[in-house]
Structures are given as C-alpha cells and as structure tokens.
Amino acid sequence: MVERESVARACDAGGAPAYLKKTVLTQGIGPWCQGHNSMNDHVSHRAEPVDLLARQALFAFASAVTVPLVVLGKDKEPPYHRGTGVLFTARGRYFLITAEHVLKDQPIGRMAIVPRGRRDKLAPFGKVGMWLPQDQRFDVGYLEFLEPDSIERIRSTYRFVGPENIGNANLDSDVFLCGFPDKQIDISGKRVTGEPLFVDSTPLKSVPKGLNFDLVPGLEMFAAYGRRGYSPETGVEIDTPDLTCTSGCGVWQYTPPASGIWTPERAVRLVAVQNSFRHSEFFRAMTWSVVHQGLHSFAPDVARDIYEAVFPGAKNS
C-alpha cells in the first residue's frame, strides 16, 4: 500500500482557504484494480455502433452533469475559462469532481459554474469544502457545496450523478468524453457561451511512448485522441479540436445492459476523470478508483456507497 498525504481545505467567497485537517489517499483498495470486471448487470465488451437517437440521449444525459468552470475577473476584468467538472451526489452531499490542477492555486471564491441556458448569469460557488492531493500524480480535485442556495441554483439547470452511475474502467469497451474545450467557449464581457464536446474513443492497451510524467500503474487510463467529435444538439460529426480545458471532464464507458429496457443511465457508466492529452494521439484520465480513494479519506460513507454499487456483494476493505 502506498500512502499519499492530502490536505482538506474549506473556502468561502470572501477569502483564502483555511486548513482543516490532513487526510490520506491509499493506493489499491480492494478489487478496483484492473482485471475486476463485475459491473452490476452490465457486460464488458466493445459496444455496437450507437445510432443517432441513442447518441443524442447519451449526450443529453452526460452533458446534464458536466459543467464549464470559469473564474470571475476582478472589477471590470472578464471571466476566464478554467476547465470542466462533473457533478456527483450521495448521502445528501453534493460534490464537484475535476482535475486537481484545475483547482490548484485558483481563487476559489471567484470560481463559478456557467448555468445551462443562462450563460450570462455566472454563479459563484459560495462556501465549499476543497480537497486536493499533495501527490500531483493523483490529478483529481474535489469541491463539496455547503450552501443550500448554491446547491439549488446548480440543480435548477444541471443534475448530479449518483453511485449507481459509476463504473469500473476496463480496456475492452469503447468510451467517450464529455467536456468543454476552450475552443468551444466564447467569452464576451461577462457573458459566457458555448456547448460541450463529445469525443468517441477506444482505450489504449499499452502506455504511450515519450511521456514526461510519472505513471500511476493500474489507476489511470489512456485512450485514443479520437478524430470524431459531435455536436450535442444534432450529433453531427465535427473534427475534434484541441482539448485544452476539458481537464476534469468525465470519461464514460459504454456498458449496455444485459437485460431490461435500454436507457441512457443504464447504457453508460462514468469511469474516469480526464486530466491531460497529447494532440492527435491520446488523452489521459484517472480512473474512478482514484476518485473513490480520495472520497474514502474525507467521506467514507459516500465511498462505501460507490463501492457497493459498482461491486455488489464485495467487501469494501
């Protein structure tokens, strides 16, 4: 077991974060490691091609929980686009999951989610709890929304996924990412407009060559860059742009149900959080195992709910 120290921080809209406590990230919890294929009633295999209507339904589901993150400017300065996040809830607690580097050294009190349909009404987070790993190889960051008004404001235009929507990443099923690349965001004054991008991809079964960072074996996923991007409204294929600012977005894996009625919620699982890319070659993501480990350090009951949803009947050790 490899221990990684992290620091839990609480922030409010008025100032810098105050240190609360130290927590621990532990590498390798139970059967989250590669090779464990249990995933509720889902089977692990390469998905059949998805037709237009099904694709639009999947994109609508994924985009409803995917948020563009901006930092509000001081005085008359315009906001700037910082990255992407995924909304998650369990046990009556509401979180934003993103990449660690999206949050690090940022003025969290001025960070905001861009509401769907009302891009000019940017909503600051308000009071939040923030957890970041000190070991930057574990590139996952967490915010917990602590103000009921902020939670309701977010829920008025977005939704939160729960443990039932989480899955164990495998290398044998296709994936897609849903995020907000900088080239799809337009900022004019204090108005922010743009739509998410969806990119189909296939997990790589070998680590790309020429990497300039340390690996975290068994806890990260590499996938083909994907030349096919899609408009969320029509599903029309477009050339995949540069993926800058998709960091923190979700990577979804096709997991068609073995039986029962097809729904978007049952057809895909959120399996990783994207954090970097090499243009035209690959993108990299931390698997939900890493997210689970972080949650285990400051929200163990939430982590337990995820584990039991992904591995029913398994002991969460």
Side-chain angles (χ1 to χ4, degrees):
M1 307 287 277
V2 179
E3 294 185 349
R4 304 295 175 196
E5 187 178 67
S6 65
V7 178
R9 299 191 281 177
C11 312
D12 58 36
Y19 288 93
L20 292 180
K21 60 184 179 179
K22 290 185 177 180
T23 56
V24 174
L25 289 178
T26 307
Q27 181 175 336
I29 297 179
W32 275 100
C33 56
Q34 289 183 336
H36 193 292
N37 293 320
S38 174
M39 196 180 295
N40 295 352
D41 60 343
H42 292 73
V43 293
S44 299
H45 59 76
R46 192 164 307 286
E48 294 298 321
V50 180
D51 64 32
L52 177 59
L53 291 178
R55 186 183 300 281
Q56 288 179 293
L58 292 172
F59 291 172
F61 170 57
S63 64
V65 304
T66 304
V67 297
L69 302 175
V70 299
V71 177
L72 304 178
K74 294 181 179 179
D75 300 323
K76 295 184 180 180
E77 294 178 351
Y80 61 87
H81 184 206
R82 181 61 187 167
T84 303
V86 179
L87 299 171
F88 174 79
T89 184
R91 300 272 178 157
R93 300 173 68 174
Y94 294 86
F95 302 91
L96 180 137
I97 311 296
T98 186
E100 179 265 356
H101 71 265
V102 170
L103 301 178
K104 185 178 180 181
D105 299 327
Q106 294 299 305
I108 301 301
R110 290 192 285 114
M111 188 170 276
I113 287 174
V114 182
R116 300 175 80 197
R118 298 201 301 270
R119 302 301 197 194
D120 57 338
K121 297 184 180 297
L122 304 180
F125 291 150
K127 187 176 181 181
V128 297
M130 181 167 72
W131 289 264
L132 301 178
Q134 286 189 341
D135 187 333
Q136 293 184 359
R137 294 181 306 160
F138 298 91
D139 194 358
V140 176
Y142 310 80
L143 292 180
E144 180 177 7
F145 303 107
L146 301 176
E147 294 182 352
D149 288 347
S150 296
I151 295 169
E152 288 307 308
R153 186 166 58 245
I154 295 168
R155 292 178 65 185
S156 69
T157 58
Y158 289 102
R159 60 180 291 184
F160 289 73
V161 292
E164 68 278 6
N165 304 118
I166 306 305
N168 186 36
N170 69 82
L171 300 180
D172 296 320
S173 292
D174 290 341
V175 298
F176 70 86
L177 65 76
C178 173
F180 287 86
D182 200 48
K183 289 189 175 182
Q184 300 228 151
I185 293 290
D186 180 68
I187 297 177
S188 177
K190 294 187 177 181
R191 181 178 176 81
V192 180
T193 58
E195 296 294 340
L197 174 77
F198 304 88
V199 180
D200 277 332
S201 183
T202 301
L204 301 179
K205 295 191 176 182
S206 60
V207 176
K209 297 180 179 180
L211 301 179
N212 59 358
F213 49 80
D214 294 331
L215 297 175
V216 188
L219 297 179
E220 56 197 346
M221 167 189 285
F222 291 90
Y225 192 83
R227 300 301 177 92
R228 297 184 303 164
Y230 293 91
S231 161
E233 295 298 327
T234 64
V236 172
E237 184 174 328
I238 61 175
D239 291 336
T240 301
D242 183 279
L243 293 179
T244 297
C245 285
T246 57
S247 287
C249 79
V251 178
W252 301 79
Q253 193 145 45
Y254 293 104
T255 55
S259 61
I261 298 174
W262 187 98
T263 65
E265 292 84 354
R266 299 187 68 208
V268 292
R269 288 290 182 266
L270 180 60
V271 298
V273 177
Q274 190 262 358
N275 58 27
S276 60
F277 67 93
R278 183 185 293 167
H279 196 282
S280 301
E281 295 185 33
F282 66 83
F283 67 80
R284 178 193 182 209
M286 306 306 295
T287 68
W288 201 268
S289 173
V290 177
V291 181
H292 175 268
Q293 291 173 40
L295 288 168
H296 197 276
S297 68
F298 63 88
D301 53 343
V302 172
R304 183 169 56 252
D305 285 356
I306 296 172
Y307 193 94
E308 291 175 353
V310 176
F311 302 115
K315 183 179 180 180
N316 186 8
S317 56

